[in-house]
Amino acid sequence: MTSGTITAADAGTWQLGDLTVNRMGFGTMRLTQNGAALNTVRTPYDRDRAIAVLRRAVDLGVNHIDTAAFYFSPMSSANELINRALGPYPDDLVITTKVGPGRGPSGDWLDWARPQDLRGQVEENLRQLGRDHLDVVNLRMNGPDSIADRFGALAELREEGLIRHLGLSNVGADQIAEALPIAPVVCVQNRYGIATRRADSDDVLRVCGERGIAFVPFYAIAGEGRESGAAAAAESEAVSAVARAHDASPAQVRLAWTLQRGPHVLAIPGTGNPDHLTENVAAAALRLSGDELRLLAELGRHAG
Ligand SMILES: NC(=O)c1ccc[n+]([C@@H]2O[C@H](COP(=O)([O-])OP(=O)(O)OC[C@H]3O[C@@H](n4cnc5c(N)ncnc54)[C@H](OP(=O)(O)O)[C@@H]3O)[C@@H](O)[C@H]2O)c1
């Protein structure tokens, strides 16, 4: 499938609170790394290309961009690139960031933020993005612990006007239920793809739909540990077969499959490659048949 006149709007829209976004968005984690995972960059970094990718994403209708202050490599930071490429920001652009994890100046991971550390993490994002408030802040968890103290701290920052809307990341249904009496939750960002679902993620996706909360998968294309094993090979072949039937790429099928899991599912594929960006946005218009959706769902069931 080629892009033609397809834009991110072809995926339809969703409300993050009072903010309207196209369901096809963009994730910036790979932007500073030439496609590599955090902290593993080994190739020379092309700053101009990263800036061009961000500008092209917006030209293609992307108005939901995911980021974090801890997305940086030795020579670049996702937030600074967003600021440089897109500032002054278009009125309809929604930038979602996440707090909880933190990295020191050399890139080493710090202890998970305590509730009293979250203001500093929010202010770090404000400084880097050059804004006086953040559109959406996800509290990124690291296990099944109570979210109450940290989410409560973010709710106070929301009351102060530093944050417009709150979300959660890497959480189960219990943690969403715990958050809702504290403050509204507009999105949940979990690892989710054909072969990369947490065992509880289909439940979480369903709960989000019932509550009007956006469900935002990460690793929908890249997966995690998908490269080995017979089940992984079968899954990969099935995706390729569906892709051939639509004259599409496997990445496009993986994105389309997530978007068709429900009208509340948003995509945030990550890439530093302009051709991959165009291809990913074109997946906004790809519609898989009911049989194809069921086949792929069954193959990847609880593989993650
Ligand atoms: N909440 C969380 O804990 C969390 C965790 C991880 C990520 N995230 C967010 O979710 C976003 C998506 O996750 P992700 O970037 O890790 O994974 P992803 O979007 O599933 O896949 C990205 C990887 O696939 C490659 N890729 C992208 N488009 C492709 C295409 N059309 N064909 C072939 N390869 C393609 C990229 O390399 P190239 O650059 O070479 O295209 C990159 O290596 C991130 O950018 C980040 O914003 C959130």
Side-chain angles (χ1 to χ4, degrees):
M1 261 186 97
T2 49
S3 60
T5 55
I6 301 170
T7 72
D10 284 85
T13 61
W14 185 258
Q15 292 296 128
L16 295 172
D18 62 340
L19 305 171
T20 307
V21 294
N22 290 326
R23 293 176 61 217
M24 178 58 74
F26 179 76
T28 59
M29 190 181 89
R30 309 282 176 159
L31 208 53
T32 63
Q33 327 280 330
N34 296 330
L38 285 176
N39 251 351
T40 61
V41 66
R42 293 285 179 272
T43 51
Y45 169 68
D46 188 340
R47 178 183 178 77
D48 289 343
R49 188 173 91 148
I51 287 176
V53 164
L54 278 165
R55 289 181 176 155
R56 178 82 180 131
V58 169
D59 286 347
L60 289 170
V62 167
N63 59 11
H64 176 220
I65 294 184
D66 181 75
T67 187
F70 53 87
Y71 289 169
F72 65 86
S73 61
M75 298 304 290
S76 69
S77 121
N79 280 349
E80 184 266 334
L81 286 168
I82 292 171
N83 188 339
R84 179 61 183 272
L86 304 179
Y89 299 113
D91 287 344
D92 70 340
L93 181 67
V94 174
I95 302 174
T96 296
T97 191
K98 59 190 78 66
V99 294
R103 294 169 72 200
S106 306
D108 46 316
W109 288 100
L110 307 175
D111 288 341
W112 223 257
R114 301 164 299 172
Q116 61 268 38
D117 301 324
L118 292 172
R119 176 184 290 273
Q121 291 195 341
V122 165
E123 290 172 347
E124 182 182 26
N125 279 279
L126 289 170
R127 281 192 298 276
Q128 293 173 350
L129 290 167
R131 304 200 76 173
D132 61 5
H133 73 277
L134 299 172
D135 298 323
V136 183
V137 175
N138 286 327
L139 174 63
R140 211 290 188 183
M141 294 299 291
N142 191 28
D145 300 346
S146 166
I147 56 95
D149 291 348
R150 290 181 177 87
F151 200 71
L154 290 177
E156 285 175 19
L157 299 177
R158 177 175 169 271
E159 290 296 319
E160 278 182 43
L162 296 185
I163 299 172
R164 192 133 159 196
H165 298 296
L166 293 174
L168 295 166
S169 177
N170 199 36
V171 291
D174 290 354
Q175 289 165 309
I176 299 171
E178 195 187 5
L180 285 170
I182 300 171
V185 175
V186 299
C187 55
V188 168
Q189 196 176 108
N190 275 11
R191 178 169 60 94
Y192 191 85
I194 291 172
T196 55
R197 279 126 76 199
R198 278 169 45 144
D200 65 348
S201 273
D202 286 316
D203 283 343
V204 173
L205 184 145
R206 181 182 47 76
V207 166
C208 286
E210 289 166 0
R211 302 263 186 179
I213 298 170
F215 183 82
V216 190
F218 63 84
Y219 292 159
I221 299 173
E224 206 171 47
R226 203 179 60 220
E227 58 282 347
S228 61
E235 181 262 346
S236 201
E237 178 42 39
V239 172
S240 296
V242 173
R244 281 192 296 275
H246 288 271
D247 195 18
S249 72
Q252 288 177 319
V253 169
R254 292 182 188 284
L255 292 172
W257 183 84
T258 60
L259 286 173
Q260 283 182 254
R261 297 297 280 174
H264 63 300
V265 178
L266 311 182
I268 51 164
T271 183
N273 178 324
D275 295 332
H276 287 171
L277 168 72
T278 308
E279 184 180 313
N280 294 344
V281 172
L286 177 59
R287 302 287 182 272
L288 307 179
S289 72
D291 284 348
E292 290 168 336
L293 294 172
R294 277 187 291 279
L295 168 81
L296 296 174
E298 212 40 56
L299 272 171
R301 187 168 293 281
H302 301 167

